[in-house]
Amino acid sequence: MAKLFFKYGTVFSAKSLNLIATAHNYQTQGKEVILLIPEIDTRSDGHVATRAGFKMPAELINDDTDIFDLYEAYLKHKEKIDCILVDECHMLLPKHIDQLRKIVNVYHTPVICYGLRVSYTLQLFDASKRLFELADKLEEIKTVCWYCNHKATHNLKLVDGNPVYEGESIDIGGLEKYVPVCYHCFTEPPKDA
Ligand SMILES: [Zn+2]
């Protein structure tokens, strides 16, 4: 039975690397995968890219995209799609998650979404909330805290080395930096960080 997966983690938890490894596994068996990435992630440039330097082309999803229609358009020239892989899924809209859910139900194609759970302002991302509501399977991709090596659960935003706790939940392309942290280091990051 095909499932809708939400594989969530903090920044620096190798989510995109995990996605590319999964895509590679399907492709080496001659199977068809579709990679999706939100257009709002301007760093993507139509690709899923990893910090380790791996890159694969991906379909850009904007607010007006109906992913179910996009999938059916693929089926006009592909016999079968074996898996859909979504990067940075927290930047999608909740309606996109409903469209992905419909693909799983109607076409029995597995969909694996990779993304963040909460923003640096400690809010669930809207699309992540929808995934918690609709996914068949939730899986945490783990990494360690930037400062203390406990398990990271949150994303700390640093601007010029200083923590920032308020603002838009999605901001892209600035000079800010995000690090994975445990909750203790989130609230009291070490001074010399
Ligand atoms: Zn810590």
Side-chain angles (χ1 to χ4, degrees):
M1 182 67 82
K3 291 189 169 76
L4 173 62
F5 295 83
F6 182 25
K7 300 197 178 195
Y8 62 92
T10 61
V11 292
F12 286 98
S13 59
K15 295 182 298 302
S16 302
L17 191 62
N18 197 308
L19 184 158
I20 284 184
T22 303
H24 180 74
N25 288 346
Y26 273 96
Q27 288 172 346
T28 51
Q29 295 181 26
K31 292 175 179 163
E32 291 285 346
V33 294
I34 305 175
L35 275 57
L36 306 177
I37 192 161
E39 192 174 294
I40 189 174
D41 183 1
T42 52
R43 297 163 303 181
S44 77
D45 182 29
H47 290 84
V48 171
T50 72
R51 295 176 207 273
F54 296 100
K55 214 173 173 188
M56 273 190 184
E59 285 280 349
L60 290 171
I61 305 301
N62 64 40
D63 289 1
D64 298 327
T65 309
D66 185 314
I67 303 176
F68 190 81
D69 290 349
L70 178 75
Y71 182 87
E72 291 198 316
Y74 261 87
L75 287 181
K76 289 191 177 121
H77 52 94
K78 301 272 185 202
E79 197 180 314
K80 186 172 183 286
I81 304 294
D82 294 287
C83 188
I84 297 176
L85 298 161
V86 189
D87 198 27
E88 309 287 358
C89 64
H90 56 280
M91 293 185 189
L92 292 174
L93 297 173
K95 70 173 182 183
H96 292 132
I97 307 305
D98 286 77
Q99 292 158 7
L100 291 164
R101 175 76 256 181
K102 189 174 165 193
I103 292 170
V104 177
N105 290 13
V106 173
Y107 289 105
H108 309 292
T109 303
V111 173
I112 312 176
C113 299
Y114 296 83
L116 303 175
R117 182 176 59 96
V118 284
S119 68
Y120 70 93
T121 59
L122 296 183
Q123 303 293 312
L124 269 179
F125 287 98
D126 292 342
S128 303
K129 176 174 178 289
R130 196 69 185 132
L131 274 161
F132 276 112
E133 290 162 350
L134 295 184
D136 296 295
K137 200 159 168 34
L138 301 167
E139 187 181 311
E140 185 178 23
I141 300 178
K142 292 174 185 156
T143 192
V144 293
C145 174
W146 195 258
Y147 303 116
C148 77
N149 290 346
H150 282 115
K151 190 182 90 171
T153 49
H154 291 79
N155 304 295
L156 179 65
K157 180 178 181 177
L158 298 170
V159 177
D160 296 329
N162 298 310
V164 174
Y165 297 104
E166 287 175 11
E168 294 295 318
S169 61
I170 297 176
D171 56 4
I172 301 155
L175 295 172
E176 72 277 357
K177 168 184 169 186
Y178 294 88
V179 292
V181 287
C182 68
Y183 192 75
H184 176 76
C185 294
F186 179 84
T187 51
E188 292 178 41
K191 284 281 179 283
D192 59 348

